Amino acid sequence: MTMSVDSHPVAGEGVRGAIDPGSLEDLLRHAVRRAADCASLDITVTEGTVVLSGVALRREDRSRAGFACWCDPTVRAVYNNLTISPGLA
């Protein structure tokens, strides 16, 4: 079962002060690349909302990529728009 939107309350609002979206995108990109194999990956972060797009090699990589985005407490929602590479799913 896959979900397109995951959301949970942020523990300890203000745990980290103002965050540079570029550095958060870098952190998430590193986390996703460690957790999942993706043929292509694009990550956009806007006010705590993460949007993943690109191509995951397998279904489990798509799921792992979405879960990896929760590594930062400022993430409020994850929209996992990764598709599965044809023929490898």
Side-chain angles (χ1 to χ4, degrees):
M1 179 170 100
T2 56
M3 302 175 100
S4 60
V5 179
D6 295 325
S7 182
H8 68 80
V10 175
E13 290 271 335
V15 170
R16 294 173 62 183
I19 295 177
D20 174 24
S23 65
L24 180 55
E25 286 175 9
D26 291 341
L27 170 80
L28 296 177
R29 183 169 283 104
H30 181 69
V32 169
R33 292 212 183 271
R34 287 184 59 151
D37 290 327
C38 296
S40 64
L41 176 66
D42 186 42
I43 298 175
T44 305
V45 181
T46 306
E47 297 180 7
T49 299
V50 178
V51 178
L52 295 175
S53 57
V55 179
L57 297 185
R58 297 174 301 274
R59 285 184 197 101
E60 55 270 18
D61 290 316
R62 181 183 185 277
S63 295
R64 289 178 185 147
F67 286 120
C69 291
W70 293 108
C71 69
D72 190 276
T74 62
V75 172
R76 296 174 182 261
V78 176
Y79 292 83
N80 190 342
N81 297 328
L82 291 171
T83 59
I84 310 301
S85 180
L88 297 175

